[in-house]
Amino acid sequence: MNAQGERWTAEQVLALAPDAASRKAGGKLATPGPWSGAGAHGGGVWGLCAGSGSKPYQTVVDLDGPAYRCSCPSRKFPCKHALGLLLLWAGGGGVPEAEGPPEWAGEWLAGRRERAAREASGAAAEAAGGRKEPGGVADPQAARRRAERRAQRIAAGASELEQRLADLLRDGLAGADRSGYAVWEETAARMVDAQAPGLGARVRELGAIPSSGPGWPGRLLEECALLHLLNQGYARLDLLPEALAAATRSRVGLTTTTAGLLASGAAVRDRWLVLGRRDDSDGRLTTRRIWLRGQDTGRVALLLSFGAAGHSPELALPVGVVLDADLTYYPAGRPLRAALGTRHPEPPPPGPAGPSAPPARPAPSAPSPSASSAPSVPSAPSPSVPPGSDIPTTLAAYGEALSEDPWLDAWPVVLSGVTPIPGGEDGWQLADTRTGAALPIDPRCAGRTDLWQLTAVSGGGPVTVFGECGHRGFAPLTTWDPAPVPLQSPSGAGSTPHGGMP
């Protein structure tokens, strides 16, 4: 519970579930009957849930994350017991505030925060890029030699890839569908060996285009041109403007570790509204994308987290909550991806005017280097629909982002005052009667049933929609009624455009 006495809603809790079965099972445990010893304190929620055995399951949730621990044998995160406990807590009546957690819950909560503190204390050395000597001092010369060797490997990989693209164009695109995917997979593996994972990922996407349906030769040529541009850009990094050089390094795969970024980067403090969330799975890895927008700065940010097959990624911020936190952006032409740093407690509720009134919240730009230096606190639900832009302004924003990062698939935007028009010959569209403009829905979203959900929410009138605007159209992710309505299932089912890295 935050300082305003607000808890998460049931919808926000259910959005954390890894699948529909877990949501259903968690709902059955959202009553006081199976629980004993439940309580909440300092960003932690815990309880004992009666099961089929003689001992109850010990369930504890750290709301700063959130993160979960349960003694049940389930391999899902969060399990049904954690979901049931959170639903009971969200209801406000079954989980009272306590003076502190019991020993079994307190040890786990304290252990998590101690590990975060240790990681933060070692982040400065990692940010320097050097290898630690026995005395704990980073070696900058060793770091420089490693960077030089990696640059040489990437350059060799990019040269090899250029030859592969030249062979493809010389032989003709029409026969690319007969060579099979294995050739591209081998080329992608060689790029990874060259320490250029970004090139490898784009090569894998290239290999999938010949089986993507009608019009694939044109799309293959487009992607070949973008890959050629990336190779040539890396070969001429010293000649590029700094923003474009940063975008090129990022797309090739030269990234900064999260710990190093938080230790050395400039933090941006704001009250961040969670605009949308999407999970993508390739059968081996689940990638979770969470989009935020600062209420004071107006900046958008993307948080990424990953989970192995069958496991939900740990970072699970429900759509619609607001968190007072520090974000640090990764270097890029148009910074979007960020790392979550310190989460600050909400200010105390306003009291009577006078000397005893609580102080104002600090300015949103105050940076903080450590993700563990503030107490764990849950976030407040968003009080209203976020402001949005019209279609011409949205297209201009996408164009500006694209000018600084030519390999950008899409840019997150909030559209306001648009009406969904069901698909006909021209497909689904979002129409804006104020400007007379219309924006097509990305055709890869055509099979999603939640487009009809968006239509039902609108009732034939204008709505506010958050999503990604790309070269193939707009992919909606969230609307408001006036509470946020996610337009994709938490498990990421359905068609998912723009699945690549931002």
Side-chain angles (χ1 to χ4, degrees), residues 222-470:
E222 292 172 0
E223 292 302 320
C224 284
L226 286 172
L227 197 48
H228 170 70
L229 181 66
L230 184 56
N231 288 333
Q232 294 299 312
Y234 184 77
R236 296 167 173 79
L237 270 179
D238 295 340
L239 303 177
L240 298 179
E242 180 52 38
L244 189 56
T248 303
R249 284 190 290 265
S250 174
R251 296 298 175 178
V252 165
L254 290 170
T255 58
T256 305
T257 64
T258 300
L261 181 72
L262 291 173
S264 62
V268 179
R269 182 175 177 183
D270 206 335
R271 288 176 55 81
W272 300 94
L273 169 65
V274 180
L275 291 172
R277 193 183 94 175
R278 187 181 76 218
D279 288 358
D280 300 322
S281 177
D282 61 4
R284 296 173 297 178
L285 185 71
T286 298
T287 302
R288 173 165 294 163
R289 292 171 170 82
I290 298 176
W291 289 268
L292 313 170
R293 186 169 72 177
Q295 293 184 338
D296 296 323
T297 63
R299 298 184 66 175
V300 289
L302 171 63
L303 304 180
L304 289 180
S305 58
F306 306 91
H311 292 259
S312 179
E314 182 173 330
L315 185 63
L317 299 172
V319 175
V321 303
V322 177
L323 59 153
D324 184 356
D326 297 336
L327 296 186
T328 304
Y329 285 87
Y330 286 83
R334 176 64 67 96
L336 177 61
R337 186 186 175 191
L340 178 61
T342 304
R343 296 178 65 177
H344 303 279
E346 292 288 329
S356 61
R361 184 174 65 88
S365 58
S368 180
S370 169
S372 59
S373 60
S376 301
V377 290
S379 306
S382 172
S384 61
V385 178
S389 305
D390 57 24
I391 290 176
T393 304
T394 293
L395 293 176
Y398 173 57
E400 291 175 4
L402 198 62
S403 68
E404 296 181 351
D405 185 351
W407 306 279
L408 190 70
D409 285 325
W411 187 253
V413 292
V414 178
L415 281 170
S416 64
V418 292
T419 304
I421 308 298
E425 292 184 0
D426 297 328
W428 284 76
Q429 298 185 61
L430 295 174
D432 187 346
T433 56
R434 300 168 300 177
T435 63
L439 186 62
I441 297 289
D442 191 310
R444 291 170 289 182
C445 300
R448 285 170 38 183
T449 57
D450 47 41
L451 292 180
W452 291 106
Q453 181 185 15
L454 174 62
T455 305
V457 169
S458 76
V463 291
T464 297
V465 186
F466 166 73
E468 291 184 289
C469 183

Side-chain angles (χ1 to χ4, degrees), residues 9-250:
T9 66
E11 291 76 12
Q12 290 165 345
V13 172
L14 291 173
L16 307 176
D19 51 41
S22 297
R23 291 193 292 275
K24 183 178 180 180
K28 294 180 179 179
L29 295 175
T31 61
W35 294 96
S36 62
H41 177 79
V45 182
W46 60 86
L48 301 173
C49 185
S52 56
S54 58
K55 294 184 178 180
Y57 295 125
Q58 296 177 340
T59 307
V60 57
V61 179
D62 185 353
L63 296 171
D64 188 9
Y68 325 91
R69 182 182 182 277
C70 185
S71 59
C72 74
S74 174
R75 299 182 64 182
K76 295 180 179 180
F77 295 96
C79 67
K80 63 181 182 180
H81 305 102
L83 289 170
L85 177 63
L86 284 174
L87 287 170
L88 189 63
W89 168 75
V95 182
E97 286 293 313
E99 295 183 358
E103 182 178 358
W104 59 269
E107 288 180 354
W108 180 78
L109 291 168
R112 271 183 52 81
R113 290 157 192 173
E114 288 174 2
R115 286 193 298 273
R118 287 196 300 269
E119 292 172 1
S121 65
E126 186 175 349
R131 178 176 297 162
K132 281 189 175 182
E133 298 298 330
V137 180
D139 183 357
Q141 293 185 353
R144 178 179 53 80
R145 289 193 295 269
R146 288 196 299 274
E148 290 175 351
R149 288 195 297 269
R150 182 176 184 184
Q152 292 171 358
R153 294 192 188 100
I154 293 175
S159 178
E160 179 183 347
L161 182 55
E162 279 289 278
Q163 185 60 52
R164 176 74 180 89
L165 294 175
D167 293 342
L168 173 65
L169 296 177
R170 184 189 65 246
D171 296 339
L173 296 179
D177 59 338
R178 295 192 294 270
S179 60
Y181 186 75
V183 176
W184 295 105
E185 181 63 32
E186 179 183 355
T187 303
R190 294 179 68 85
M191 295 303 103
V192 174
D193 291 341
Q195 295 184 284
L199 292 179
R202 297 194 77 91
V203 168
R204 287 191 174 94
E205 293 177 2
L206 205 66
I209 291 177
S211 59
S212 63
W216 67 263
R219 293 193 294 274
L220 182 61
L221 182 59
E222 292 172 0
E223 292 302 320
C224 284
L226 286 172
L227 197 48
H228 170 70
L229 181 66
L230 184 56
N231 288 333
Q232 294 299 312
Y234 184 77
R236 296 167 173 79
L237 270 179
D238 295 340
L239 303 177
L240 298 179
E242 180 52 38
L244 189 56
T248 303
R249 284 190 290 265
S250 174

